[in-house]
Amino acid sequence: MKQDVAQLTKNAISLLKELIATPSFSSEENNTALLIEKWFTTHGIQYKREKNNVYAFNKYFDKAKPTLLLNSHHDTVQPNSAYTKDPFLPQEEDGKLYGLGSNDAGGALVSLISTFTYFYDEKDLSHNLIIVASAEEESSGPNGLNSMLKILPKISVAIVGEPTLMQLAIAEKGLVVFDAEVKGTPSHAAHPNENNAIYNCIDVLHWFNNYSFQKVSEVLGKVKVTVTQINGGSQHNVVPAKVDLVIDVRVNDCYTNKEIVAILQKEAPCEVTPRSLRLNSSSIPKEHPLVQSGISLGRTTYGSPTLSDQAALSCPSLKLGPGDSTRSHSADEYIFISEIEEGIQLYINLLQGFLITE
């Protein structure tokens, strides 16, 4: 039986309040997973759980049909130290719902769960639906969506729920984090030293600040290189043998992560070592029926600089959700109640307005 959208929306907001009130830092999501299980049980939806990932298939799942994945995460970061409100107390003020994870990505999660629930009993969908409420997104941990892909059937296309103001993020930058060493000659500070590792950093930092990769993406723009950490020295009278740097590289869709590593290891003026190559850039063609359905609803397309669980997916994927990315990880995080109301209705309209074939 078709669900009432107004009632689903009311229930979604109640679920979000429960999620806010339940701490769910990455790898500690057991209690929020229980809340999601409770939703599925209450709505008569068969579900499964793998560690702290809760997932379900639509009632009339057909292996012959292509499959659309709906995904968002229920873990959060630690609360920002500048909070003035209790991060675990859901508070409504002036149309806003405050609380840790309200915007990133609780609003998108409950909206997608509601959308899945709306379509769960429908017999004549052109596609299957799978929803995964995943863990460990914020930490890019090993037991999140990435661990689910070997369990799930083939995914044709995915919607990843993140705060995008319900605009269509048709591409997302990947990430490679590098550890770097700037070397020098260790010595007593009282003696001459023409090879001070700390001074050597000056030219290295200038190099990274000025370096540009040649290929520029039409959607994602340039690869962005940023030195984010620096550590060197142990006491005032000792010149260190080396200084450690951390470099954050946001990769556009013109390069693979492997190519980025090869280029920097060849050209950088110091030793650089990648931590991982698995967080790739992702995209979906603007011509894809899912994107075209969104455009027909007045949505605009853009490229996102921030990372999400799209990085784990190899299929075409669209990042879309209520809320604003600039509020994520901020003090006194919030989402507008109206954004959730709009999000659920737009997700439903989006899925009603497209067909996928293989």
Side-chain angles (χ1 to χ4, degrees):
M1 184 176 70
K2 189 71 74 175
Q3 299 280 334
D4 178 70
V5 176
Q7 187 60 51
L8 274 177
T9 302
K10 182 179 178 181
N11 294 346
I13 294 166
S14 295
L15 174 59
L16 180 53
K17 289 178 179 178
E18 290 183 283
L19 293 170
I20 290 168
T22 308
S24 57
F25 307 130
S26 295
S27 305
E28 301 174 18
E29 311 95 343
N30 177 64
N31 289 329
T32 47
L34 292 174
L35 292 173
I36 295 163
E37 290 181 2
K38 179 183 169 185
W39 170 287
F40 287 142
T41 299
T42 299
H43 289 85
I45 294 171
Q46 293 186 1
Y47 68 89
K48 297 180 182 180
R49 178 167 170 176
E50 181 68 24
K51 294 187 168 64
N52 288 331
N53 303 286
V54 185
Y55 65 107
F57 294 32
N58 64 297
K59 188 173 183 178
Y60 298 100
F61 188 93
D62 181 349
K63 291 180 181 179
K65 292 181 178 180
T67 295
L68 167 62
L69 171 68
L70 307 177
N71 164 250
S72 191
H73 62 95
H74 58 105
D75 64 317
T76 72
V77 295
Q78 296 280 341
N80 187 300
S81 61
Y83 260 86
T84 65
K85 299 177 181 292
D86 183 343
F88 303 111
L89 179 63
Q91 300 178 63
E92 281 191 59
E93 295 179 16
D94 301 322
K96 299 175 183 176
L97 176 58
Y98 286 91
L100 181 65
S102 57
N103 182 78
D104 184 16
L109 175 65
V110 300
S111 297
L112 282 174
I113 288 174
S114 299
T115 301
F116 176 83
T117 303
Y118 180 85
F119 288 106
Y120 175 72
D121 285 324
E122 193 159 322
K123 291 184 177 181
D124 55 354
L125 292 173
S126 70
H127 52 275
N128 299 309
L129 285 177
I130 298 175
I131 188 161
V132 178
S134 54
E136 298 191 8
E137 190 272 349
E138 295 291 4
S139 63
S140 298
N143 297 314
L145 179 63
N146 50 347
S147 70
M148 296 295 298
L149 299 179
K150 62 182 181 291
I151 297 171
L152 301 176
K154 179 184 176 184
I155 305 299
S156 302
V157 64
I159 297 175
V160 176
E162 290 283 342
T164 71
L165 292 170
M166 288 307 289
Q167 303 303 333
L168 310 168
I170 60 173
E172 175 186 273
K173 284 186 174 178
L175 171 65
V176 184
V177 177
F178 290 88
D179 292 299
E181 285 189 0
V182 180
K183 296 181 178 179
T185 302
S187 69
H188 194 294
H191 299 305
N193 187 339
E194 298 299 321
N195 190 31
N196 185 316
I198 293 176
Y199 294 158
N200 291 346
C201 279
I202 296 171
D203 287 340
V204 172
L205 293 172
H206 277 303
W207 188 90
F208 280 112
N209 188 46
N210 295 323
Y211 185 77
S212 293
F213 286 86
Q214 291 182 352
K215 298 177 186 177
V216 179
S217 166
E218 181 179 342
V219 180
L220 292 173
K222 296 180 178 180
V223 174
K224 189 173 187 299
V225 180
T226 309
V227 178
T228 55
Q229 292 176 254
I230 184 167
N231 183 52
S234 57
Q235 59 191 68
H236 77 89
N237 58 353
V238 177
V239 176
K242 66 183 179 72
V243 174
D244 296 315
L245 305 177
V246 176
I247 298 111
D248 178 296
V249 181
R250 302 289 166 154
V251 184
N252 66 22
D253 52 347
C254 299
Y255 295 92
T256 65
N257 288 355
K258 188 175 181 181
E259 288 171 331
I260 292 291
V261 171
I263 291 168
L264 280 187
Q265 287 185 331
K266 179 181 179 182
E267 299 190 16
C270 62
E271 259 183 49
V272 294
T273 304
R275 294 182 181 178
S276 169
L277 299 183
R278 66 184 178 86
L279 301 175
N280 298 292
S281 62
S282 53
S283 64
I284 186 171
K286 194 171 182 179
E287 298 75 28
H288 192 282
L290 190 62
V291 178
Q292 289 300 308
S293 179
I295 291 172
S296 73
L297 295 170
R299 304 294 95 186
T300 59
T301 62
Y302 74 103
S304 172
T306 56
L307 198 68
S308 75
D309 269 335
Q310 279 186 287
L313 299 170
S314 58
C315 65
S317 57
L318 173 67
K319 185 159 72 176
L320 174 68
D324 186 338
S325 180
T326 61
R327 301 180 209 139
S328 300
H329 305 182
S330 63
D332 297 336
E333 180 183 348
Y334 68 88
I335 190 167
F336 285 99
I337 296 293
S338 61
E339 290 176 324
I340 299 170
E341 294 167 345
E342 177 195 42
I344 292 171
Q345 191 62 64
L346 274 168
Y347 277 142
I348 290 171
N349 292 346
L350 181 77
L351 297 193
Q352 286 176 330
F354 90 108
L355 299 171
I356 53 175
T357 57
E358 298 202 287

